[in-house]
Amino acid sequence: MSKRLRLLRRVSQALFSAGFLVLFAVAAYPLLSPVPVDLFLRADPLLALSTMISLRQLVFPALWYALTVVVLTILLGRVFCGWICPMGTAIDACERLFGIRGRRPSAAPRLSSLKFYILLAILITAALPSAHRKAAEPSISGSVGLSAVYLLDPVALLTRTLTLTGLPAAHWAIGMGGDVLNGWNGSDAVQDHPWIAVLLSPLQMAYGLVGRPEGAYFRLSAITFLVFAGIIALSRYARRFWCRNLCPLGALLGWLGRLSPIRLRVSEECTRCMRCVNECKVGAISDDPHHYSGPECIECYSCIAVCPENAISLARGHRGEEREDDLRLGRRRVLAAMGAGVAAVALPKVGLGVRRTDAGGQVLKLSSMRLIRPPGALAEDEFVTACVRCGECMKVCMTNTLQPAVGEGGLEALGTPIIVPRVGPCTQPCDLCGRVCPTRAIQPFSIEEKDYLYVGTASLDRSTCIAWAQDKECLICDEACSYDAISQDVVDGVSRPVVHEPICTGCGICEWVCPVEPRGAIRVNSSGDKRHLTRNEQRAIRELADEGTLEQGSPYPGL
Amino acid sequence: MTDEITRRDFLRRAVVGGAAAIGIGELVAVRADMADAASSPTIAVASKRRPAELVRASVEALGGIGKFVKKGNRVVIKPNIGWARKAEQAATTNPEIVAEIVRLCKQAGARDIRVVDHAVDRPDALVLRMSGIEAAARKAGAQVSLASSPALYEKVSLPKGRALKSVSVIRDLRRADVFINVPIAKVHNTTGLTLGIKNMLGAVWDRGAFHRSSSLDQAIVDCAAEVRPHLVILDAIRILLTNGPKGPGRTADKGIVVAGTDQVAVDAYAATLFDRKAEQIGHLQRAHAAGLGEIDLRRVNVRHV
């Protein structure tokens, strides 16, 4: 009995991690999963809470999923951390794989309060008004806060790590294998000796099953990997260093778990052999095995499994002298955490990233010529605060065009998705990113709506366009345009491409196909971004454009 | 070993040499045959049938698939799978036609049938699925793939090229015993029309090089001179009349399939479907001038079936 709970917990960890990986894998075209692929992100109460505070509105359907974890925690304590969290399991697995044991409990750093301060700072950052919502008057309800939760939320962090580093690595490995195989099959030796091809055919079949991925590449992949590797490396100081000291989700669940009516009971059989103290993953048991910290315990039940006297058991009842629910926060440090939350809002504000210009009702960041958001994205300030940088949209994107922003939107937009046309176009018959966003920062949209979800405008540089500057027969941009937004001007007998701005949605396929290397002579910029308008207003603009009412270069109606 | 020629050696050399001589003789004869055919090429125009039957009828009129595909041959079919458009939008080859060609090749005993192209639109998975060609051709028994890695291409030098000196072509296509070009007839913003010869642009890796060259039309012809199909089956069941090559645009239902071995003749006939003269289409004019085929339909033996 005593070991059965631990076994059950390990099985649970394995199943949930497998589920997490499967959902990650199937977050891809044609996206047929009956279970939402962003299930773990939706179920993360910290992401939901922080986003709802910073966005000043309820976020559905994430709220319902998150509430189930909240209820689970109130009933059973931090079981999410011990039994479900894929990050926790990843840390457990890495500790085992690399033989990381941590220091002795007495020598381990005692920083367990730190995570509560981090949680507090994140929530303060989310609550403070950071930007005004559209043209609304300054007020709390007319403002949005800033997202800091993305930095340290474990589910977002792990999904992001998988997307930005795991996916390219997997694609690279498969692609290399395929190239080698193709090279062998195409070599003269194999052509001359077909029996070698027969020997290679099982490999060829296996490769055919996997299929050749269109290799993904991402910016920020190295730094994302280093953050994850750092979290694993910290376990050298104490096992699950991340969970016990840093994780803001663990802090939130620990705080909620204080309501749990289940506790550990230590009977008089205890001989103070200290095995449970040494075995506890999160250092929740004090030097005296009769006492443990409720908010720290992740309900892994290793202590029950290792106790040679079977002295530890689960007991009902909220109060017991074994469990201590005090968070042990210092007043001075709480103030410091609040200060850090304020600083997190202030810091991006002193950079040029948020210097704005107001063009015909739309607010553009000066740094943001290339800040081209996916279709369906909320208006910029709301988008930046709602996006948790999980990377699901970049994972599901078929053309790899969605990349984490580095400098395009300033510090506050670090890691948010942008279209980088030279990597790939936002292909017209695709609505995937709108279907996987856990916080609906990218609102669902239909393929038909993409005709008027303006995210930018292409502009043609006639000094480098080979049709304009060199009289070459090239209209590839016109060929490829999915929206018929490029037409031809015949000048001196040569056809030359011209962008019809009111129709152009900024999908970037023209920039992608342009044969002028390396940058392309036609480039998308954010000037046509109309996310500050409602969809109906954007559709109205498109209808005017179709009627021919909107002429080239004429200002758009100030809708 | 000595340098003396043994009896066995002598006999072996005699046999090999004799066989080679006969082989060369055969080859010369075949060449002569082809030259003869080129002087008065035949194309077959099938109409008033369902798509699959159009293919069968037109190929039959050329002497049957057995004339082109022998038992054990490796066949590569090159349709137009360039765009993420549905078949009915007439930007990509009709999937039923591709599937029927696959079935014909299978019946002729082809060992390995591949359908390849190099899409412009991204991503491949979407292009393959939307065009409907992947599902149809795979069901008929072919391997279908889009070549999106330079590793899948082979450099072909164009010694006679005037605008291009070399081009990277899909390797499968170069290594095939039989290569069947299956274009769809469309208008094209740059080249006027895109028919069979222009369809070869989808078999190369760096299309940009064609546009950057001194003349796009000439580059197309340079490439077509070296990358020549054994059979052209042109889909004109529904043709794209405006906003080509990708559309969306106006379409017209012609219900026709044109087949032949003279690519210029096939294209010249297809041009008439758009009320255009082949002589007005730059790359066809140049292809004819380069000796790639007959542009004057009066000199083409058009067999309507």
Side-chain angles (χ1 to χ4, degrees):
Chain A
M1 167 61 205
S2 62
K3 290 193 168 57
R4 204 173 289 167
L5 267 175
R6 183 172 68 174
L7 178 69
L8 205 61
R9 187 255 304 166
R10 285 178 177 165
V11 169
S12 162
Q13 282 186 296
L15 287 179
F16 277 105
S17 295
F20 179 76
L21 288 174
V22 167
L23 286 177
F24 179 78
V26 299
Y29 180 74
L31 199 62
L32 299 173
S33 167
V35 181
V37 292
D38 54 342
L39 179 71
F40 282 78
L41 292 152
R42 289 187 188 190
D44 182 332
L46 177 63
L47 288 181
L49 176 67
S50 173
T51 307
M52 287 191 294
I53 293 175
S54 66
L55 204 56
R56 325 300 197 218
Q57 67 190 37
L58 297 179
V59 174
F60 298 104
L63 179 59
W64 302 124
Y65 291 87
L67 276 178
T68 59
V69 173
V70 169
V71 170
L72 185 74
T73 307
I74 290 173
L75 290 179
L76 301 173
R78 266 175 83 178
V79 283
F80 181 87
C81 304
W83 292 57
I84 297 173
C85 179
M87 182 66 141
T89 308
I91 295 173
D92 279 353
C94 287
E95 284 175 1
R96 193 164 272 243
L97 192 65
F98 301 122
I100 303 171
R101 294 293 303 164
R103 291 185 183 163
R104 279 175 295 111
S106 55
R110 292 179 184 278
L111 298 165
S112 62
S113 300
L114 187 55
K115 59 179 176 291
F116 294 105
Y117 300 128
I118 289 173
L119 173 66
L120 185 63
I122 286 173
L123 296 182
I124 294 280
T125 306
L128 286 175
S130 156
H132 303 310
R133 197 185 278 268
K134 293 180 190 167
E137 290 297 309
S139 70
I140 286 290
S141 62
S143 70
V144 289
L146 209 55
S147 171
V149 71
Y150 74 90
L151 279 169
L152 293 175
D153 178 88
V155 186
L157 196 151
L158 187 63
T159 313
R160 176 165 72 232
T161 306
L162 280 179
T163 301
L164 299 189
T165 70
L167 195 65
H171 284 180
W172 175 79
I174 296 171
M176 283 294 282
D179 280 351
V180 169
L181 204 56
N182 277 322
W184 286 347
N185 276 326
S187 68
D188 291 337
V190 177
Q191 295 292 316
D192 295 344
H193 305 284
W195 57 269
I196 304 179
V198 176
L199 288 183
L200 290 176
S201 61
L203 274 175
Q204 188 73 50
M205 267 177 63
Y207 179 63
L209 283 178
V210 180
R212 185 194 179 80
E214 294 190 38
Y217 304 89
F218 291 106
R219 309 146 141 197
L220 294 182
S221 61
I223 198 156
T224 309
F225 178 74
L226 287 176
V227 169
F228 178 75
I231 287 170
I232 300 298
L234 282 173
S235 284
R236 287 178 62 91
Y237 295 102
R239 294 174 67 198
R240 284 217 186 197
F241 185 98
W242 164 263
C243 309
R244 58 167 92 182
N245 300 322
L246 299 174
C247 180
L249 175 61
L252 179 66
L253 297 180
W255 180 70
L256 283 171
R258 297 197 302 171
L259 299 169
S260 163
I262 290 182
R263 65 187 164 91
L264 293 169
R265 183 168 57 197
V266 184
S267 75
E268 290 309 313
E269 313 282 311
C270 171
T271 60
R272 291 186 163 72
C273 72
M274 306 299 271
R275 283 207 196 171
C276 56
V277 177
N278 287 321
E279 195 60 33
C280 180
K281 288 174 188 290
V282 288
I285 307 172
S286 64
D287 297 342
D288 171 13
H290 281 274
H291 296 283
Y292 78 102
S293 165
E296 298 302 321
C297 174
I298 59 170
E299 320 292 332
C300 75
Y301 306 137
S302 293
C303 49
I304 298 179
V306 297
C307 181
E309 310 296 334
N310 288 334
I312 312 177
S313 58
L314 288 176
R316 274 175 56 190
H318 187 65
R319 289 214 165 64
E321 60 180 66
E322 291 92 346
R323 179 164 131 184
E324 290 166 8
D325 283 342
D326 186 12
L327 297 181
R328 281 176 277 187
L329 301 181
R331 187 182 304 163
R332 198 176 296 173
R333 288 184 175 160
V334 166
L335 286 172
M338 294 170 82
V342 176
V345 179
L347 201 58
K349 295 290 170 197
V350 297
L352 245 185
V354 288
R355 177 95 171 96
R356 285 147 205 274
T357 173
D358 191 318
Q362 84 221 85
V363 177
L364 299 172
K365 293 178 182 172
L366 277 187
S367 63
S368 65
M369 279 299 284
R370 298 291 268 171
L371 190 74
I372 307 153
R373 295 299 188 187
L378 297 171
E380 183 59 16
D381 289 323
E382 292 154 62
F383 180 76
V384 165
T385 197
C387 173
V388 296
R389 281 78 151 168
C390 62
E392 280 286 346
C393 54
M394 304 177 206
K395 163 65 173 68
V396 83
C397 177
M398 289 192 279
T399 62
N400 202 201
T401 184
L402 287 186
Q403 294 280 327
V406 180
E408 287 85 354
L411 192 57
E412 57 179 7
L414 182 70
T416 53
I418 57 169
I419 290 174
V420 180
R422 219 49 186 160
V423 180
C426 174
T427 200
Q428 188 256 340
C430 175
D431 59 357
L432 296 183
C433 55
R435 291 162 61 190
V436 300
C437 182
T439 56
R440 294 281 189 263
I442 306 175
Q443 299 268 316
F445 56 87
S446 71
I447 288 164
E448 291 71 33
E449 284 176 304
K450 282 181 87 172
D451 282 355
Y452 52 82
L453 291 177
Y454 297 93
V455 294
T457 307
S459 70
L460 199 135
D461 174 7
R462 293 186 179 182
S463 67
T464 51
C465 170
I466 58 176
W468 281 101
Q470 300 173 26
D471 297 343
K472 294 281 168 68
E473 297 157 273
C474 182
L475 292 162
I476 302 189
C477 49
D478 178 22
E479 283 184 44
C481 180
S482 302
Y483 305 93
D484 201 10
I486 299 180
S487 52
Q488 309 166 23
D489 258 12
V490 181
V491 181
D492 299 335
V494 180
S495 296
R496 317 180 198 240
V498 174
V499 180
H500 190 45
E501 288 160 1
I503 305 277
C504 175
T505 62
C507 77
I509 196 168
C510 51
E511 182 175 341
W512 187 74
V513 296
C514 180
V516 176
E517 297 290 356
R519 283 210 310 171
I522 186 164
R523 288 189 287 278
V524 180
N525 63 62
S526 55
S527 67
D529 182 347
K530 298 194 206 341
R531 288 176 294 138
H532 61 295
L533 302 178
T534 67
R535 288 193 187 181
N536 282 336
E537 289 165 342
Q538 293 187 62
R539 186 172 59 214
I541 290 180
R542 175 61 203 244
E543 280 162 4
L544 288 176
D546 284 340
E547 291 166 13
T549 315
L550 285 182
E551 288 305 319
Q552 193 80 358
S554 72
Y556 304 121
L559 285 162
Chain B
M1 290 292 285
T2 65
D3 288 339
E4 287 171 43
I5 295 172
T6 64
R7 187 185 308 161
R8 186 177 296 180
D9 241 8
F10 173 77
L11 285 173
R12 192 191 293 150
R13 288 185 191 187
V15 170
V16 171
I22 294 167
I24 290 167
E26 284 277 348
L27 222 67
V28 171
V30 170
R31 283 280 170 196
D33 193 35
M34 281 171 70
D36 191 40
S39 64
S40 172
T42 299
I43 62 169
V45 180
S47 56
K48 298 195 181 70
R49 289 179 165 86
R50 288 189 291 118
E53 287 163 14
L54 290 173
V55 172
R56 275 181 188 273
S58 60
V59 173
E60 205 54 50
L62 293 176
I65 192 75
K67 199 173 153 192
F68 306 97
V69 180
K70 310 286 182 219
K71 199 169 182 332
N73 275 173
R74 286 179 301 179
V75 180
V76 163
I77 297 167
K78 159 69 180 82
N80 187 328
I81 327 178
W83 307 105
R85 293 285 191 214
K86 290 179 186 149
E88 61 259 33
Q89 293 177 297
T92 50
T93 305
N94 187 317
E96 286 181 60
I97 289 192
V98 180
E100 186 60 22
I101 297 170
V102 172
R103 278 190 287 270
L104 281 178
C105 294
K106 228 176 168 66
Q107 283 162 19
R111 169 160 63 97
D112 179 309
I113 307 168
R114 295 181 190 196
V115 176
V116 298
D117 197 4
H118 179 196
V120 186
D121 252 340
R122 298 283 90 199
D124 287 346
L126 191 71
V127 175
L128 284 170
R129 186 176 287 226
M130 281 191 76
S131 71
I133 291 174
E134 181 183 40
R138 194 163 279 170
K139 197 171 156 221
Q143 297 179 47
V144 185
S145 62
L146 291 175
S148 285
S149 154
L152 301 173
Y153 289 74
E154 187 173 283
K155 194 168 176 182
V156 176
S157 63
L158 308 171
K160 290 182 213 144
R162 285 163 58 198
L164 285 180
K165 283 297 168 195
S166 73
V167 61
S168 285
V169 179
I170 297 174
R171 184 186 295 126
D172 280 347
L173 197 147
R174 292 298 285 175
R175 302 260 164 119
D177 300 314
V178 183
F179 160 34
I180 305 177
N181 186 13
V182 192
I184 176 169
K186 300 183 281 184
V187 296
H188 193 280
N189 59 6
T190 323
T191 59
L193 294 174
T194 168
L195 307 164
I197 291 178
K198 171 68 176 58
N199 195 37
M200 286 303 99
L201 203 50
V204 306
W205 173 247
D206 185 9
R207 279 182 281 253
F210 284 63
H211 294 272
R212 288 189 296 262
S213 76
S214 56
S215 159
L216 173 63
D217 286 337
Q218 187 58 45
I220 291 168
V221 171
D222 288 350
C223 173
E226 199 58 39
V227 187
R228 302 181 74 162
H230 300 88
L231 175 62
V232 187
I233 301 175
L234 178 133
D235 164 19
I237 295 174
R238 172 176 288 184
I239 61 176
L240 183 62
L241 297 177
T242 60
N243 198 23
K246 183 178 181 177
R250 219 152 44 75
T251 59
D253 290 321
K254 295 284 180 184
I256 288 174
V257 163
V258 187
T261 50
D262 184 319
Q263 187 149 273
V264 181
V266 171
D267 284 5
Y269 184 87
T272 63
L273 301 174
F274 297 86
D275 297 325
R276 301 283 290 271
K277 276 206 172 332
E279 289 83 357
Q280 298 165 342
I281 307 298
H283 67 273
L284 292 184
Q285 180 63 47
R286 284 172 192 255
H288 173 63
L292 297 189
E294 185 51 62
I295 198 166
D296 185 354
L297 286 174
R298 286 170 301 184
R299 296 193 198 171
V300 176
N301 177 16
V302 182
R303 213 170 276 171
H304 288 277
V305 288

